[in-house]
Amino acid sequence: MKSFRKLSLLLVAALLLSIMAACGGDDNEDNAGDSAEGNNEQVLHLTNGDTIPTMDASMATDEYAFQFLSSTTDGLYRLGENGEIKEGIATNHEVSEDALTWTFNLREDAVWSNGDPVTANDFVYAWQRAVNPDTGSEYGPYMMSGVIKNASAISSGDKKVDDLGIKALDDYTLEVTLEKPTPYFESLTTFGTFLPLNQKFVEEQGKDYATSTDTLLSNGPFILKDWESTANKWKLVKNPDYWDADTVQLEEITYDVVKNPQTLVDLYEKGEIDRADLSSDLVDLYSTRDDFNTITESSMTFIKFNQTKSEALKNENIRKALSRAVDKQALVDEILNNGSLVSNGAVPQDFAAHPETGEDFRDINGDMVTFSKDEAKKYWEKGLEEIGQDKVELEFLSGDSETSKVMNEYIANQLQTNLPGLTVTLKQVPFEQRLDLTTNMDYDIAISAWGADYLDPYGWLNLWLTDGGNNETGYSSEEYDQLVQSTVGDLAQKPVERFEASLEAEKVLFDDAVIAPLFQKARAQLISPELTGVINNSFGAKYEYKWASME
């Protein structure tokens, strides 16, 4: 997920701003843990790193959108503690012997916030809309192609949307036909792109759908209030008509967009918000407090190289030089200082285990690319000779939050210092603009972050498939494509061989120097002791508040 997203979103790229965006603090410990309300009122006060780009599930690509879609909408299933799949609109399902047909039994007590029942037809409409080329969805084709039968052909205009492998057998029975066995499909159904939509309501709203509170419907734990597309504050309120409303304890969650690091912690210390991300310079001040927490995520931040715009970046040795020229240990220790881990691969630590030995993916493949000034210089000189230049100028696209700016300047300095003849120009822009620029391939090198969309290495490795919806680098390799696609093709039901093909694919990715991994994200935060039950998801929406409460 683009993130941060993202990540989100990771962030697509889009996951970095949410990784780094709001941070700060001071050294006043007397107010540690003061709740924003100071009593047991079930109101939670939070901040967001930026505006919500969209609330249209078909159009969402970043972690902010998926966070609020998850809070307001139930899909077939929902993520619980430790990634456990929990009931959503579906109560259970059956899978055919060939693993291609999934039949979901839906609950009959779920309703939309306008009173309409949630039915199997809402999923049929939503999934068809997401892959319909007329919709212009990025994630619809990306998430469904090669998974749901005929999704690829529909998104390319070769088949009609009615041919998608999904149909309502009746109002409360949904049948999904897959293109091929997909080991991670159950977890995929929890993701935002697969959420249902009320067709009549969406079509009545037309182009205004999902642009404000008044043009949205909810069927989940909360309802979004006081929001429009440019809003800097909004709130979630408990949905009284939610099928599992008795479980939801929070009555309201308020949000304000805050980008300034110091402001965040100032608000927390005043008791006006209940959670604050800490910037690196403040972690040491707060690390001994009881309300200090660190959480390692499965979100990866990296530099990606546009191989279509810059002649220098078309050269493999130039890319290899760039990917070895940043001291990542200093980055996580001194710049981030929040528990983030140095990343030397594409798949995060503690995410995927070998099906027989249980050994972690990252431990098996080890370091794909590490910091080395000597190696960086060697590749750089070789690359310059091959392109016939002694100087290279690159524009570095990145985020504009305060913490991001410090990191961006550090990375640019490292690149220029360790690669003689390189000039890096920073282009720091707001989150949504950065998404647009990377999507349109209007960049040289860019900070990006990605959060898992489902529990499987394929969610990371398919990013770099030829013409993939989130490739955004111009990279194409027949060998890489074959290895990655085999994990959802011939090897889909051969767990060991499938895992080993994923390991080999990652090696090809770094032999070709497609990206420069930087770090696996962690969050250092101050969290009110009164806030309990929040689930930190390993993929999809970053937080789950259905089971949260203020005590």
Side-chain angles (χ1 to χ4, degrees):
M1 174 183 57
K2 291 181 179 178
S3 63
F4 321 177
R5 243 141 122 322
K6 253 255 352 152
L7 267 233
S8 235
L9 43 159
L10 124 309
L11 147 97
V12 116
L15 197 307
L16 177 65
L17 194 61
S18 61
I19 295 175
M20 317 288 298
C23 320
D26 64 36
D27 57 1
N28 179 1
E29 298 188 10
D30 293 337
N31 295 326
D34 282 356
S35 160
E37 290 300 305
N39 54 38
N40 290 328
E41 184 178 3
Q42 293 299 317
V43 178
L44 175 60
H45 295 280
L46 300 174
T47 61
N48 209 55
D50 213 323
T51 57
I52 306 173
T54 183
M55 280 296 291
D56 185 339
S58 300
M59 304 305 291
T61 64
D62 69 282
E63 81 165 68
Y64 292 153
F66 288 127
Q67 176 63 60
F68 293 98
L69 285 166
S70 175
S71 297
T72 57
T73 316
D74 258 10
L76 290 171
Y77 293 115
R78 177 173 289 273
L79 286 177
E81 191 73 45
N82 299 318
E84 182 181 357
I85 305 296
K86 295 286 190 178
E87 289 185 12
I89 303 302
T91 57
N92 56 64
H93 66 269
E94 299 89 38
V95 183
S96 62
E97 187 173 344
D98 61 6
L100 294 178
T101 303
W102 293 55
T103 305
F104 297 90
N105 300 304
L106 310 187
R107 63 179 64 260
E108 299 184 21
D109 56 347
V111 296
W112 292 102
S113 49
N114 66 351
D116 290 350
V118 181
T119 70
N121 293 294
D122 295 327
F123 289 93
V124 174
Y125 170 68
W127 294 18
Q128 288 179 345
R129 181 175 182 263
V131 297
N132 188 334
D134 293 339
T135 302
S137 170
E138 180 180 337
Y139 255 49
Y142 167 67
M143 298 294 282
M144 296 187 189
S145 291
V147 177
I148 311 301
K149 186 177 180 179
N150 294 328
S152 298
I154 294 167
S155 63
S156 62
D158 295 329
K159 283 185 177 288
K160 297 179 180 180
V161 294
D162 291 343
D163 293 325
L164 188 66
I166 182 172
K167 61 182 178 180
L169 301 183
D170 56 48
D171 281 350
Y172 301 105
T173 310
L174 181 71
E175 182 181 270
V176 178
T177 304
L178 303 185
E179 194 77 55
K180 51 200 171 190
T182 305
Y184 56 86
F185 182 63
E186 185 178 21
S187 69
L188 200 63
T189 65
T190 69
F191 194 73
T193 307
F194 295 85
L195 296 174
L197 294 170
N198 183 305
Q199 181 174 2
K200 180 180 178 182
F201 182 84
V202 172
E203 293 179 348
E204 284 177 349
Q205 303 307 312
K207 63 181 179 59
D208 293 327
Y209 172 67
T211 59
S212 69
T213 292
D214 294 335
T215 59
L216 281 172
L217 286 183
S218 302
N219 74 351
F222 301 96
I223 297 173
L224 187 63
K225 294 288 188 180
D226 302 331
W227 176 80
E228 57 184 22
S229 59
T230 59
N232 285 307
K233 61 172 57 181
W234 57 86
K235 61 185 176 181
L236 295 171
V237 298
K238 181 177 177 177
N239 181 359
D241 298 318
Y242 181 47
W243 66 268
D244 199 20
D246 289 346
T247 296
V248 181
Q249 299 301 305
L250 291 174
E251 294 291 338
E252 184 177 297
I253 310 175
T254 69
Y255 289 88
D256 287 270
V257 172
V258 178
K259 296 185 179 183
N260 182 275
Q262 189 61 52
T263 302
L264 253 185
V265 176
D266 289 346
L267 290 171
Y268 179 85
E269 293 291 73
K270 292 175 183 176
E272 295 181 16
I273 60 174
D274 295 296
R275 184 177 63 216
D277 290 350
L278 293 174
S279 57
S280 59
D281 57 321
L282 295 168
V283 167
D284 293 339
L285 295 175
Y286 291 92
S287 60
T288 60
R289 284 176 34 163
D290 291 340
D291 55 348
F292 175 84
N293 297 266
T294 59
I295 301 165
T296 302
E297 302 181 4
S298 57
S299 174
M300 305 286 274
T301 299
F302 49 90
I303 299 172
K304 59 185 178 184
F305 309 123
N306 185 351
Q307 299 182 29
T308 68
K309 187 178 179 184
S310 165
E311 288 299 317
L313 292 174
K314 293 178 182 179
N315 183 274
E316 182 180 300
N317 286 308
I318 294 292
R319 300 194 304 271
K320 286 183 175 179
L322 291 165
S323 60
R324 289 162 171 80
V326 177
D327 186 342
K328 294 179 281 191
Q329 195 63 56
L331 171 62
V332 299
D333 290 344
E334 300 170 20
I335 305 300
L336 302 179
N337 192 29
N338 60 4
S340 292
L341 307 172
V342 166
S343 173
N344 292 318
V347 177
Q349 295 183 27
D350 301 321
F351 183 76
H354 191 284
E356 279 189 347
T357 68
E359 190 175 1
D360 187 66
F361 186 105
R362 190 74 277 125
D363 291 337
I364 296 173
N365 252 10
D367 295 334
M368 296 287 97
V369 57
T370 59
F371 167 62
S372 171
K373 287 192 288 186
D374 291 340
E375 285 192 16
K377 188 176 180 181
K378 179 184 68 174
Y379 283 116
W380 182 249
E381 291 174 348
K382 186 175 181 180
L384 290 179
E385 182 180 352
E386 289 172 346
I387 65 175
Q389 299 179 25
D390 58 7
K391 295 181 180 179
V392 172
E393 296 183 3
L394 295 174
E395 184 178 78
F396 179 22
L397 177 64
S398 50
D400 69 343
S401 73
E402 292 302 316
T403 305
S404 296
K405 289 177 181 178
V406 175
M407 184 182 72
N408 301 335
E409 290 167 1
Y410 169 80
I411 293 171
N413 179 264
Q414 284 276 291
L415 293 173
Q416 292 182 133
T417 300
N418 295 328
L419 301 174
L422 174 63
T423 300
V424 177
T425 302
L426 279 170
K427 183 173 183 177
Q428 302 180 107
V429 300
F431 180 59
E432 191 167 1
Q433 183 181 352
R434 185 159 53 85
L435 290 181
D436 290 339
L437 289 169
T438 53
T439 298
N440 294 321
M441 300 284 287
D442 188 10
Y443 76 96
D444 290 334
I445 64 176
I447 278 285
S448 188
W450 192 260
D453 297 327
Y454 41 87
L455 287 173
D456 196 273
Y458 183 75
W460 301 97
L461 299 175
N462 74 1
L463 295 177
W464 319 112
L465 292 172
T466 299
D467 297 326
N470 288 286
N471 184 311
E472 297 173 350
T473 66
Y475 173 65
S476 177
S477 164
E478 185 176 343
E479 179 185 10
Y480 183 77
D481 291 350
Q482 189 278 325
L483 283 167
V484 175
Q485 295 289 29
S486 72
T487 68
V488 291
D490 296 341
L491 304 181
Q493 293 183 288
K494 300 176 181 178
V496 174
E497 293 176 54
R498 179 176 187 270
F499 194 87
E500 290 172 352
S502 296
L503 293 167
E504 289 303 311
E506 189 188 51
K507 293 175 183 176
V508 173
L509 184 71
F510 286 99
D511 285 342
D512 294 341
V514 181
I515 59 171
L518 293 173
F519 61 89
Q520 182 171 342
K521 176 196 170 186
R523 300 193 301 274
Q525 300 175 315
L526 297 176
I527 303 175
S528 168
E530 296 185 12
L531 176 57
T532 65
V534 178
I535 295 172
N536 294 278
N537 291 326
S538 58
F539 65 97
K542 182 187 296 186
Y543 298 108
E544 173 60 68
Y545 296 106
K546 175 177 175 177
W547 293 277
S549 65
M550 298 297 291
E551 295 186 350

